[in-house]
Amino acid sequence: MSRVDAQQRRTAVWMVSPALVIMFLVAAVPIGYAVWLSLNVYSVRHAGLSQFVGLTNYWNALISEEWWRAFGQTFLFAFTSVALEVVLGVAMALLLNVAFRGRGLLRSVLLVPYAVLTVVSAITWQAMFESNLGLVTGLLRALGLPGGEQVWLAEPGYAMVVIIVADVWKTAPFVALLVLAGLQVIPGDVYEAADLDGASRWQTFWRVTLPLLRPAIALAAIFRLLDALRIFDLPFVLTKGSNGTETMSMIAYQELREQRLIGQGSALSILTFITVMAVSLVYIRFAGGNIRDVAEEKS
């Protein structure tokens, strides 16, 4: 390393140090405090009940059926919703990338759901699936399709479907936005070369567009997957976690806020954090090669 490179490295370290300190105070300190709370028994309801118990709270969580049930339901929701969002997001991005009159208006309309607050979105979908006056159930009854007489949010399976539909409606535009950005940086000469080779539209998409979009799709998928694994607001508003919709974040909330068991709730929160971090590491290790390749090319 030359003297100039060493000087530039030192300058860069000094410039990013304030941001690193702020990130440490904002993120690391609360996480560390939560870890400490998770190693203790502490109850708001019972004065003086506070003692160090080590990993007992974690052990109690890991042997409980409630944790593993919420664990499975969270992953079911996350993988199903993210898969649908990626497919719809790619389709929306391809549509928005085509030049036609009114494209700007269509882009604005398709991106509106992502701007809606999650709580507002949840209340809207709750009303749409209301058994008597809901728009969706009314349409199903009018068309003679199954589900028109169903109380969707009151039965296992159906309630999860409503939550997935609400999440896909809201966040598929986010995936479309990222994929659209990836589409717009693909050079036009690759499509000209595909035309000269006589490739059909499907062959062009499968062999040219999709491979070049993989970094954008991988980035959108990991963002959405990590967000979906810590889902709380949609099931909380729609079902309060009942009927097979309880998630990892919800049971942590219930222990902390409703049961007032600070230690046990903190342990559940840390387990949720570890789960999300583990999934991100596995994803980047096995499916994030495109993201690393792009980063290396730009550096």
Side-chain angles (χ1 to χ4, degrees):
M1 181 183 296
S2 65
R3 184 176 181 179
V4 175
D5 291 338
Q7 180 63 34
Q8 290 179 344
R9 185 179 292 273
R10 287 194 295 269
T11 302
V13 170
W14 280 107
M15 292 181 68
V16 301
S17 293
L20 292 176
V21 172
I22 294 174
M23 289 176 62
F24 175 79
L25 295 175
V26 172
V29 172
I31 292 175
Y33 185 58
V35 171
W36 168 251
L37 288 176
S38 69
L39 300 176
N40 291 267
V41 171
Y42 180 77
S43 175
V44 176
R45 292 180 176 178
H46 304 284
L49 179 59
S50 178
Q51 59 179 336
F52 181 81
V53 294
L55 299 177
T56 301
N57 289 327
Y58 292 95
W59 175 252
N60 292 335
L62 292 175
I63 64 174
S64 68
E65 294 183 1
E66 183 182 25
W67 162 257
W68 291 111
R69 183 169 58 250
F71 184 89
Q73 290 167 177
T74 302
F75 272 81
L76 172 64
F77 163 80
F79 283 105
T80 304
S81 62
V82 171
L84 293 173
E85 288 160 12
V86 168
V87 173
L88 291 177
V90 171
M92 292 165 62
L94 292 172
L95 175 63
L96 295 175
N97 196 49
V98 176
F100 58 89
R101 182 177 298 178
R103 182 176 62 172
L105 177 61
L106 181 59
R107 285 182 177 181
S108 301
V109 171
L110 289 179
L111 294 177
V112 164
Y114 187 64
V116 177
L117 293 175
T118 304
V119 174
V120 176
S121 173
I123 295 174
T124 302
W125 282 100
Q126 187 178 50
M128 292 177 66
F129 277 93
E130 204 276 329
S131 58
N132 295 322
L133 302 175
L135 174 62
V136 174
T137 53
L139 286 175
L140 291 175
R141 283 196 300 270
L143 297 174
L145 297 175
E149 305 296 334
Q150 200 73 39
V151 184
W152 286 75
L153 293 173
E155 296 188 23
Y158 290 94
M160 181 62 75
V161 169
V162 176
I163 294 175
I164 291 174
V165 169
D167 188 69
V168 170
W169 176 83
K170 176 173 172 54
T171 54
F174 170 76
V175 177
L177 193 62
L178 292 181
V179 176
L180 181 61
L183 279 171
Q184 293 181 341
V185 299
I186 297 177
D189 54 0
V190 297
Y191 292 111
E192 295 176 1
D195 288 337
L196 291 176
D197 290 337
S200 64
R201 289 188 176 181
W202 172 252
Q203 291 173 327
T204 301
F205 169 75
W206 189 255
R207 298 183 179 274
V208 178
T209 304
L210 190 58
L212 294 175
L213 277 180
R214 283 176 183 169
I217 294 174
L219 188 63
I222 187 60
F223 279 168
R224 282 299 309 131
L225 183 59
L226 298 185
D227 192 41
L229 286 174
R230 57 185 182 85
I231 187 69
F232 171 80
D233 38 15
L234 271 178
F236 180 79
V237 175
L238 287 171
T239 63
K240 295 294 187 297
S242 60
N243 303 316
T245 61
E246 199 171 42
T247 63
M248 295 184 292
S249 296
M250 287 204 66
I251 63 173
Y253 169 84
Q254 289 169 356
E255 293 293 323
L256 281 167
R257 298 289 297 175
E258 297 179 6
Q259 303 299 328
R260 303 287 181 168
L261 299 175
I262 307 301
Q264 188 68 28
S266 298
L268 291 169
S269 299
I270 296 299
L271 286 175
T272 303
F273 171 76
I274 292 173
T275 301
V276 174
M277 184 174 63
V279 169
S280 66
L281 292 175
V282 171
Y283 184 92
I284 293 172
R285 173 65 180 84
F286 293 101
N290 290 294
I291 300 175
R292 291 195 299 270
D293 293 341
V294 171
E296 291 173 0
E297 291 174 3
K298 291 185 177 180
S299 61

